[in-house]
Amino acid sequence: MHAIQGRLTRRTPSRHAGRTALALALALAAGGAQASDAWQTSGDVRFGYVGSETRARSGATTDADSVRARVRFRVRGDLGGDWHASGRVAARLDSEQDDAEFWMRAYAPGPAGLEDGQATIDEAYLEYRPAESPWSLRLGRFQAAFAIDDIMKKSLDQNDSTNFDITWTDGAWWQWRGQDWTTHVIARHNDRRGPTGALRRPLDFADGGSRAGLFVAAESKTAVGPVVQRMVTLTWLPSALRTNGLADPALEDYLAVTAKAAAEWPLGDGGTRFRLGGEIGWAPDTPRREAVNSGTGEADALSWQASFSFMDVLPDHDFGLVYGRVADGWLLSSDFRPNDELLEARWVWQASKAWQLDARIRRREEIDLPASAAGPRRDDDVYLRATWKF
């Protein structure tokens, strides 16, 4: 293993969301100086071992392993007049990283967000939350996650900063909290150079009409019999889909819908519970398979996952399995790659209120292939990680 090393390099912020996030961060500091008693700090440190083996389509195999960490520190508080603010700095570190850099742009360097050795401001927002009102409005840079409520917490669509990743959303988030259902409407900004999260190619935001996207979700966690979670979502990315690949000017809107649910039953008298989760997603317009290197013709859209969680198998110990099949035309998920079949097992131990330990083993294999491929790509990976919250 190489020691974690590197130098901090300064980059010029973007003229749009980058400057907005920086201005909000400065506003947080100023507000904290005037009302320090109303401000609180929190954060988390996640670290562990990750290892993987990849078999390419040619049959050649490669492997990698490293020690990885994610560090996040937040300051949040009240500004008065029903206004609230939050700012957070996040860094991703790896024993195999080459350099260190503070990334301050309106887009992320890749689908997983930051690369190893990079840090950024992943939260910088103002929120108006009227007292005794069912609605709130958040403006700026924030974290938005809409996953199945199981121990894996995976999603086919919006799910910022999973595992060791650091992603974010720039825009506006309106919420309405009813008696049983909560409605979310997120208008997000996508930079012409790329998105801030896992919106995968051939989604492209160079066209002026593609910069604003919309995400809508309605969720209920009011128990109805064994059902403990219900959710439907819609994602609309206008003029963002390069149906024939990035080099072709043809554009279409990308629209996707999902339905998610979870149900729970007790198992015996020892306190163990079984939770079944499921999600299905569909997109009416998809790219050509030539554009995603999965064959010929139009890419598929129908995608799904099913999870099986055993809660409190031992006190504070959970175990879960998830299986998913994601189509080559599904381009929205940070947890699932397009054109992949996934099988994963995970064990979680909540050792204390502050400490959680996780172990995972996972296999991912391609589904559809071009005629020239000798075989599907397959990835096997494991991790053992610990998370400390403060």
Side-chain angles (χ1 to χ4, degrees):
M1 298 289 177
H2 301 296
I4 296 178
Q5 58 183 354
R7 57 182 178 82
L8 187 65
T9 58
R10 295 184 181 273
R11 299 297 181 106
T12 303
S14 76
R15 291 182 294 177
H16 301 291
R19 284 184 178 174
T20 300
L22 184 58
L24 286 172
L26 294 174
L28 293 179
Q34 297 176 4
S36 57
D37 58 336
W39 290 75
Q40 297 180 338
T41 61
S42 62
D44 59 81
V45 178
R46 174 171 288 174
F47 57 92
Y49 167 82
V50 295
S52 64
E53 180 180 87
T54 298
R55 185 191 67 189
R57 287 175 172 178
S58 65
T61 60
T62 58
D63 59 76
D65 66 333
S66 64
V67 175
R68 187 168 296 166
R70 187 184 69 184
V71 182
R72 305 188 294 190
F73 178 77
R74 175 189 287 119
V75 179
R76 62 168 38 155
D78 299 333
L79 299 176
D82 295 324
W83 283 94
H84 309 267
S86 179
R88 188 171 70 180
V89 177
R92 173 174 167 144
L93 306 171
D94 194 277
S95 58
E96 300 298 311
Q97 72 186 54
D98 295 322
D99 206 348
E101 173 187 12
F102 193 82
W103 181 272
M104 198 59 204
R105 295 168 175 80
Y107 66 99
L114 294 190
E115 297 177 350
D116 295 334
Q118 292 181 331
T120 193
I121 297 173
D122 74 337
E123 275 189 11
Y125 65 81
L126 300 174
E127 183 175 69
Y128 184 64
R129 193 167 64 242
E132 300 182 1
S133 175
W135 67 273
S136 63
L137 178 64
R138 186 172 294 184
L139 302 168
R141 174 168 292 184
F142 46 81
Q143 299 288 303
F146 296 86
I148 295 178
D149 192 10
D150 57 16
I151 72 169
M152 279 74 67
K153 292 181 169 53
K154 292 184 181 295
S155 173
L156 288 174
D157 50 15
Q158 180 77 42
N159 204 22
D160 283 330
S161 298
T162 61
N163 197 8
F164 289 98
D165 294 343
I166 298 171
T167 60
W168 59 92
T169 300
D170 290 331
W173 182 355
W174 179 82
Q175 298 183 62
W176 179 278
R177 294 169 294 277
Q179 181 175 354
D180 296 321
W181 288 83
T182 300
T183 302
H184 307 263
V185 180
I186 298 176
R188 65 178 297 158
H189 170 262
N190 295 304
D191 190 84
R192 61 179 177 80
R193 294 163 292 183
T196 58
L199 302 180
R200 301 174 185 270
R201 295 181 176 180
L203 292 176
D204 178 70
F205 303 97
D207 185 83
S210 67
R211 306 294 165 72
L214 186 67
F215 175 85
V216 180
E219 179 183 26
S220 174
K221 291 190 176 181
T222 301
V224 179
V227 179
V228 294
Q229 182 192 25
R230 295 160 287 164
M231 188 191 307
V232 291
T233 72
L234 179 146
T235 301
W236 179 47
L237 301 171
S239 303
L241 179 62
R242 299 278 181 180
T243 53
N244 298 317
L246 297 179
D248 191 281
L251 280 173
E252 290 185 10
D253 294 357
Y254 191 78
L255 180 70
V257 294
T258 76
K260 318 172 199 258
E264 183 176 284
W265 298 268
L267 293 179
D269 300 325
T272 302
R273 293 162 289 128
F274 170 65
R275 181 166 291 195
L276 174 66
E279 179 180 17
I280 187 168
W282 178 73
D285 295 306
T286 58
R288 299 282 301 175
R289 282 185 164 153
E290 293 87 344
V292 292
N293 195 25
S294 61
T296 59
E298 187 175 349
D300 287 336
L302 187 65
S303 303
W304 60 275
Q305 63 158 319
S307 65
F308 311 87
S309 299
F310 298 87
M311 324 290 285
D312 289 317
V313 176
L314 297 173
D316 301 316
H317 289 257
D318 305 329
F319 175 76
L321 295 167
V322 61
Y323 175 80
R325 286 182 65 89
V326 179
D328 49 353
W330 189 264
L331 309 173
L332 300 176
S333 178
S334 58
D335 296 300
F336 299 94
R337 298 183 309 201
N339 195 31
D340 255 8
E341 178 185 47
L342 176 147
L343 179 62
E344 176 182 321
R346 187 180 303 191
W347 164 80
V348 178
W349 175 28
Q350 191 68 50
S352 67
K353 184 177 181 180
W355 283 95
Q356 178 176 306
L357 278 73
D358 297 67
R360 180 183 80 181
I361 182 169
R362 178 177 66 177
R363 167 165 289 187
R364 294 178 291 176
E365 186 167 286
E366 286 184 305
I367 301 171
D368 294 299
L369 301 172
S372 59
R377 169 175 167 157
R378 188 178 71 197
D379 294 277
D380 297 308
D381 59 78
V382 299
Y383 70 54
L384 180 62
R385 75 183 191 200
T387 304
W388 174 52
K389 297 182 179 180
F390 60 89

